[in-house]
Amino acid sequence: MVSSLRLPALTSLFSPSFTRRSTVSLRRRLHLRPPLAAGFSAQSAASSPTETEDRVDSKKSGRVQDRGSTDRVITPRSQDFNAWYLDVIANAELADYGPVRGTMVIRPYGYAMWEAIQDYLNVKFKETGHSNMYFPQFIPYSFIEKEASHVEGFSPELALVTIGGGKELEEKLVVRPTSETIVNHMFTQWIHSYRDLPLMINQWANVTRWEMRTKPFVRTLEFLWQEGHTAHATLEEAEKEALEMIDVYTKFAYEQAAIPVIAGRKSKVETFAGADKTYTIEAMMGDRKALQAGTSHNLGQNFSRAFGTQFTDENGLRQHVWQTSWAISTRFVGGIIMTHGDDAGLMLPPRIAPVHVVIVPIWKKVDEKTGVLDAASSVAETLKNAGLKVKLDDTDQRTPGWKFNFWEMKGVPLRIEIGPRDVSSGSVVISRRDIPGKQGKVFGISMEPSILEAYVKDRLDEIQSSLLQRAISFRDSNIVDVSSYEELKEAISLGKWARGPWSASNADELRIKEETGATIRCFPFEQPQGTKTCLMTGKHADEVAIFAKSY
Amino acid sequence: MVSSLRLPALTSLFSPSFTRRSTVSLRRRLHLRPPLAAGFSAQSAASSPTETEDRVDSKKSGRVQDRGSTDRVITPRSQDFNAWYLDVIANAELADYGPVRGTMVIRPYGYAMWEAIQDYLNVKFKETGHSNMYFPQFIPYSFIEKEASHVEGFSPELALVTIGGGKELEEKLVVRPTSETIVNHMFTQWIHSYRDLPLMINQWANVTRWEMRTKPFVRTLEFLWQEGHTAHATLEEAEKEALEMIDVYTKFAYEQAAIPVIAGRKSKVETFAGADKTYTIEAMMGDRKALQAGTSHNLGQNFSRAFGTQFTDENGLRQHVWQTSWAISTRFVGGIIMTHGDDAGLMLPPRIAPVHVVIVPIWKKVDEKTGVLDAASSVAETLKNAGLKVKLDDTDQRTPGWKFNFWEMKGVPLRIEIGPRDVSSGSVVISRRDIPGKQGKVFGISMEPSILEAYVKDRLDEIQSSLLQRAISFRDSNIVDVSSYEELKEAISLGKWARGPWSASNADELRIKEETGATIRCFPFEQPQGTKTCLMTGKHADEVAIFAKSY
């Protein structure tokens, strides 16, 4: 039954008209964009005239400014990265400013990206032995003061509740900036003996940090995150856990978000307030600034000593537990936008995209409309049944040209166009978001469900890995190996990341920050072979560090 | 292949020893507990001597007090419902008190129940056209003041942030008690024309209400919920939406939580602060008090007028939108505990249970251990592969008897026991949580995967519907039809719900509350036929109302 259904479609695949197109397009499919290292030149949809122009009613100039009276223009990314970022967030309806300074409303399209992050990580956390739970967000102020470096790090950023139920409170309450203190308060009640260990939990929650300079997703007064907290009987177990979780984040970044982060250890200066060691994943954004995209902390016994979180070991002795904490937040959504977007707007890796495929039906005459819409619905149904997220944009209040630009701007990985000629030939036209214009467009893909489904899924896989490869090339061509402070300064002044051997002091590290604006992002886990000489002091160094300006 | 694998097992199914047992147990499986209307007499595991006693090493007295030095006793439910509730929450590790008065830490086992609620509702919300998003929790104080009845209802319960980043704030911030105000502030920016409607969103979030009398899950200072918010072009659409969502909640309560809620409309006195109409689902707890388990509000134009949320209709006229909001919270977890639990502890409907099946391996001699544990692991694997949530309790630090009581107390629907004799016969013993003692126990269920899987799934389905049927019987035998205030008072004094025709004044309603402690829970959607005479005034009434004491 299936094979007989396939036959006509396979035949049409080699019909003369298709062959002409497909030869060209097959070549084009292999023709990726030039390496991004060549610079982010403008590549708007407008700059690539496409076959679309003779297919649609009123192709506008191709830029988003034609979207109507309430629409805004997207600043080209190459012109002003920050303005572009804010324009994309507004136009793609990812987020909006809340009424309180520094707060953000996460709109459905942006929230769906966060849900994709949650869905993946939530499974991984459970697979690695963690249970979800929930701690109250109000923390007695005295808790924050118990761990010395913690209070120093967080007290300038706290939001405090001082009135409850109409009355002044005896002790003011901290709206959680992170939960180590309240977690330890509870762990102390739950942990008695070594049999209660390891205790491994996670919570999905909102947190508040009174940031002065905010930016949607990247740094907001309130944000959403997950925070894992674990307690172990030994330092070794805690260290293993902290490393395992940074590895979960690294795999997530590469495989789902197509972001080739560099994983490593933070310098002492950059370590979390209350941790012995902080591991991090650092991502290079499109403007080549670094984004700390996730961290995992080995807390040692700092909090267990402050809160008296002890257990009786197998020999009957009381010991303080060894702990970790680790987090990824809605900041990661900002990282995805700034890694993959281009002048036309968002560009989403399929595994994060709220919509995999948008279908745009195209008709000129009224008598064409029904046939085109029927075919479009049927294609949508086919792809939905295949488990894909599909949007059929069948409004007649917008032109196909407008829709092309709009969904490109929203970063949808694939677009399917269906016009009257496609209906006759039982085929569709498919365009890739990551390859603009003619190059990314293939004609005559059969509508036959199994062929279409396989084709679309293959293209989504290709886009997923193509975005990652592109980001890897971009990253690698923007990291400079340096062996002196002069070379470091030059690299940073060119907007690049500098990688060089480092064994100098905290004071030297702070001086670099002051003089160049760059900080040590991490000592990467992957270290070059051979002996190393500190770029600052000329003395022996065990490791190279990566320096960069960051968000 | 499959059928040949099945053959040996099917044969053993009719072996002499099994037949003897299964005849008995099949009868027992049809033998439900006596109707709960007969009263909640003590039915602890201890009161029903079971076959277990000759199977295990050291069956203790059967009560939870034997769990060890840190364990507490569960007060019998029949003796003190409130003490029982708190004991269950502590012993089953559902929740714990937070350090701030009235706050609650939701522990993994309790949180998993909330996740089961979320998983189901999240799908239903999306199927009915809603998108998830996220609004900031800090709301300018001035917003709350804009809708007159809203501020009156919520201002006594607010938590206020007055200090941020070390500075006194110019305007104090409300930690959201609910989000209608900030939602309308944003809707006003997003809604321009009828084309932007309906706008249908939902958020999963924490909310804060400064409650003075708190109780875990039922009423806490901070709780978790989902809040849906929609805007429509017409009153009719908003009304339809409000009703559709209370219907989603009703189906959830019946089909997932096995709670036979009564859905209806709130009286004016009990309507949400800011709504025109409030629909509710009311559940009867084990102590026969009512729990408002979910609400859906038709907000009319109250908030759109207060915030100026307008759209241009198809005729070019500016109109205020019509709105709804609806919510279910972690309170529902309390409702599940208080509906189904018994003297032995929790009893969970399978569709909410964090663990469907607990497996307890039983051995006396060391040389039996490996065989028993291997069989137990293999059974666990079989059931996990069938998509069930399985816990294999193979610790040797506790006796099987202790484990039986512990997992009964945790409400796990099915227990599988595997001893050396079961290993030899290739079968297991299965006990139902909802039928205590011998009655709920069946011997000789084949370990053969397809048989075991089918048997377990059938039993889970039976338990799910049995819990619902039991709760329906209990509810119906505790609702009294009344036709006078005297009858109403008598019913309430007996701890029952009173149902009677009502068309009296708000003042009369408040008087009943004062004199009896009961309030109108709802005017149920399902109304009896025939003419009705108000129980209070003797005048004509359109509807019957349900009166009850409530949480």
Side-chain angles (χ1 to χ4, degrees), chain A residues 438-546:
Chain A
K438 284 186 186 180
Q439 268 89 11
K441 198 162 199 165
V442 178
F443 292 82
I445 308 301
S446 168
M447 283 183 201
E448 196 282 314
S450 63
I451 295 176
L452 184 65
E453 176 187 336
Y455 184 88
V456 166
K457 286 187 169 173
D458 284 353
R459 287 305 77 67
L460 290 173
D461 285 345
E462 274 179 25
I463 295 170
Q464 183 76 32
S465 63
S466 156
L467 290 192
L468 177 62
Q469 284 312 316
R470 212 182 272 188
I472 290 173
S473 304
F474 179 67
R475 179 196 70 182
D476 291 346
S477 61
N478 281 294
I479 300 180
V480 180
D481 280 308
V482 297
S483 54
S484 69
Y485 187 29
E486 282 313 306
E487 288 177 15
L488 185 149
K489 279 194 275 195
E490 198 198 337
I492 299 297
S493 73
L494 291 171
K496 300 195 170 194
W497 292 15
R499 177 174 49 203
W502 184 261
S503 61
S505 65
N506 293 351
D508 284 330
E509 187 179 337
L510 291 168
R511 182 183 140 212
I512 289 187
K513 184 175 182 178
E514 219 161 85
E515 293 179 354
T516 69
T519 50
I520 295 184
R521 303 316 304 157
C522 68
F523 293 95
F525 292 139
E526 281 186 30
Q527 286 283 332
Q529 298 293 311
T531 56
K532 301 174 190 74
T533 308
C534 176
L535 69 90
M536 185 62 89
T537 63
K539 293 183 184 158
H540 170 77
D542 285 329
E543 295 168 292
V544 298
I546 289 179

Side-chain angles (χ1 to χ4, degrees), chain A residues 43-243:
Chain A
Q43 281 180 302
S44 75
S47 67
S48 317
T50 71
E51 295 95 327
T52 312
E53 280 164 4
D54 65 348
R55 296 168 53 90
V56 304
D57 282 351
S58 56
K59 181 76 166 74
K60 301 285 180 62
S61 81
R63 289 307 307 280
V64 188
Q65 60 261 45
D66 299 315
R67 285 177 51 210
S69 57
T70 61
D71 301 324
R72 280 176 286 179
V73 182
I74 291 184
T75 308
R77 198 182 100 141
S78 45
Q79 184 184 309
D80 182 338
F81 194 83
N82 186 53
W84 166 85
Y85 179 72
L86 298 177
D87 286 347
V88 166
I89 284 173
N91 282 276
E93 299 178 344
L94 296 170
D96 220 330
Y97 293 106
V100 175
R101 181 200 65 79
T103 63
M104 168 178 69
V105 180
I106 308 180
R107 302 186 70 179
Y109 202 69
Y111 197 83
M113 290 169 66
W114 178 237
E115 287 181 306
I117 295 171
Q118 290 186 299
D119 289 347
Y120 174 92
L121 289 179
N122 207 35
V123 169
K124 294 293 167 194
F125 295 157
K126 289 183 180 178
E127 281 176 5
T128 47
H130 306 89
S131 302
N132 284 335
M133 60 179 301
Y134 187 76
F135 290 87
Q137 76 165 339
F138 292 155
I139 301 175
Y141 190 81
S142 56
F143 280 26
I144 303 287
E145 294 174 312
K146 285 196 185 184
E147 211 286 331
S149 62
H150 196 65
V151 65
E152 193 190 325
F154 281 102
S155 62
E157 296 184 355
L158 300 178
L160 301 177
V161 173
T162 61
I163 299 172
K167 288 191 186 139
E168 193 85 22
L169 302 178
E170 282 177 27
E171 180 176 10
K172 46 190 187 292
L173 305 177
V174 173
V175 185
R176 77 178 145 230
T178 181
S179 300
E180 280 77 8
T181 58
I182 193 168
V183 164
N184 267 80
H185 175 78
M186 299 310 301
F187 274 16
T188 301
Q189 298 170 48
W190 300 332
I191 295 170
H192 305 286
S193 90
Y194 66 94
R195 292 193 200 93
D196 300 318
L197 299 175
L199 182 52
M200 313 213 292
I201 63 97
N202 176 62
Q203 79 171 351
W204 294 94
N206 56 342
V207 272
T208 299
R209 295 180 186 176
W210 210 269
E211 303 278 3
M212 294 318 292
R213 294 174 57 200
T214 59
K215 190 186 180 81
F217 292 111
V218 172
R219 184 172 282 109
T220 50
L221 200 138
E222 179 192 6
F223 55 95
L224 304 181
W225 77 351
Q226 59 69 216
E227 48 180 324
H229 296 275
T230 68
H232 307 266
T234 66
L235 167 62
E236 292 67 33
E237 274 184 59
E239 177 67 10
K240 188 170 164 242
E241 165 78 6
L243 288 169

